[in-house]
């Protein structure tokens, strides 16, 4: 059996009549972090939306643990074991931390309290602010809450769209540490990140997308050391 927990093969996808992804293939193995980098408009976020059922693949397959989930509804994909942290609007600002976590576990039919307590143990900053509204949190704290909400379903795979967007460098570093902490729990992560160097620095492997298809694929440290990737995509 393949180690690939997620396998995207020869996918075309887009919005309306506008094609964004062109014969795109990539995979994610158990417990690894994979980073998607590339210029604006390369299709990085479209990859995550297509995997998560927000867009239907026009052609090709999206396999999760050997089952084709391409075109399934997002709420069904969540139940299968894939979580998604979008770049914006990823928490409910007028709800408390605790209420946000309960919303994240709404599809579960067991007792949520042990799951919530486990997340409080993992993320003490949330434990300290259980009764605070999410809109009182800093940008970095909101990202941590968004991760925790997605973890309420205990996913095998977490898709994360630009976790450091709009954050100060030191806050971004803290968020990347939390990404690694989520991965240490056994969750495989496919992450889109605009800060390519920092994203690759915490990743096992990376893909460079350009014009909706994969131009480079390698171990993360090899991509960081690749002079052509550096010149074209890392500002080096």
């Amino acid at each position: 059996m393949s180690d690939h927990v997620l396998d995207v093969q020869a996918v075309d996808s887009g919005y309306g009549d506008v094609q964004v992804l062109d014969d795109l293939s990539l995979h994610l193995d158990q417990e690894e972090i994979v980073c998607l980098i590339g210029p604006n408009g390369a299709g990085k976020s479209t990859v995550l939306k297509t995997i998560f059922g927000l867009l239907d693949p026009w052609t090709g397959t999206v396999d999760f643990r050997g089952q084709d989930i391409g075109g399934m509804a997002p709420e069904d994909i969540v139940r299968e074991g894939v979580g998604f942290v979008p770049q914006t609007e990823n928490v409910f600002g007028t709800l408390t931390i605790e209420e946000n976590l309960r919303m994240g576990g709404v599809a579960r039919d067991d007792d949520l309290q042990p799951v919530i307590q486990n997340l409080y143990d993992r993320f003490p900053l949330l434990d300290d602010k259980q009764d605070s509204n999410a809109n009182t949190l800093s940008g970095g704290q909101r990202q941590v809450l968004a991760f925790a909400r997605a973890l309420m379903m205990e996913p095998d795979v977490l898709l994360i769209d630009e976790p450091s967007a709009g954050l100060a460098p030191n806050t971004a570093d803290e968020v990347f540490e939390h990404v690694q902490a989520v991965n240490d729990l056994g969750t495989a992560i496919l992450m889109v990140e605009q800060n390519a160097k920092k994203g690759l620095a915490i990743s096992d492997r990376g893909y460079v997308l350009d014009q909706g298809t994969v131009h480079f694929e390698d171990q993360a440290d090899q991509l960081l050391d690749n002079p052509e990737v550096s010149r074209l995509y890392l500002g080096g």
Side-chain angles (χ1 to χ4, degrees):
M1 166 161 167
S2 157
D3 279 338
H4 302 342
V5 63
L6 186 68
D7 207 348
V8 178
Q9 286 295 327
V11 163
D12 292 358
S13 180
Y15 305 86
D17 296 332
V18 180
Q19 182 171 352
V20 178
L21 302 184
D22 180 14
D23 196 31
L24 179 120
S25 296
L26 55 80
H27 67 269
L28 179 67
D29 289 341
Q30 306 213 28
E31 298 188 8
E32 71 174 352
I33 302 178
V34 169
C35 189
L36 302 182
I37 67 168
N40 279 332
K44 303 183 297 294
S45 295
T46 305
V47 173
L48 301 188
K49 289 175 182 173
T50 303
I51 293 170
F52 194 64
L54 297 168
L55 294 170
D56 288 345
W58 300 355
T59 61
T61 56
V62 179
D63 268 20
F64 173 66
R65 295 200 172 288
Q67 177 189 358
D68 188 359
I69 61 169
M72 278 174 64
E75 55 267 29
D76 295 329
I77 290 175
V78 166
R79 287 188 176 92
E80 290 296 328
V82 179
F84 180 42
V85 181
Q87 183 184 336
T88 57
E89 296 176 18
N90 52 22
V91 298
F92 296 103
T94 57
L95 299 183
T96 65
I97 305 290
E98 176 105 15
E99 288 165 343
N100 266 278
L101 294 178
R102 289 191 171 279
M103 289 291 286
V106 73
R108 297 181 69 125
D109 50 16
D110 55 348
D111 181 9
L112 295 183
Q113 204 53 48
V115 190
I116 290 173
Q117 190 54 53
N118 187 27
L119 290 169
Y120 284 150
D121 294 343
R122 294 280 174 189
F123 303 110
L125 76 88
L126 301 181
D127 193 16
D128 295 341
K129 295 174 179 282
Q130 293 181 26
D131 300 322
S132 302
N133 281 7
N135 56 18
T136 65
L137 301 181
S138 70
Q141 291 169 337
R142 286 173 75 116
Q143 277 294 30
V144 174
L145 176 56
F147 295 161
R149 264 193 63 209
L151 293 175
M152 283 294 297
M153 293 298 293
E154 300 180 79
D156 295 324
V157 167
L158 191 58
L159 312 171
I160 307 177
D161 196 2
E162 304 216 8
S164 79
L167 300 180
N170 58 333
T171 307
D173 288 343
E174 289 173 20
V175 166
F176 285 130
E177 286 173 17
H178 287 300
V179 172
Q180 289 178 287
V182 169
N183 180 244
D184 289 341
L185 300 175
T187 303
I189 293 174
L190 181 62
M191 170 176 70
V192 166
E193 182 46 56
Q194 205 57 46
N195 188 329
K197 287 180 180 173
K198 288 223 163 135
L200 289 170
I202 66 162
S203 297
D204 299 293
R205 291 188 303 113
Y207 292 91
V208 181
L209 267 59
D210 204 341
Q211 296 181 330
T213 198
V214 173
H215 277 239
F216 296 92
E217 169 195 354
D218 211 333
Q219 300 299 310
D221 53 356
Q222 296 294 318
L223 288 174
L224 284 166
D225 290 342
N226 181 319
E228 191 176 358
V229 171
S230 185
R231 180 175 62 80
L232 290 173
Y233 303 105
L234 302 180

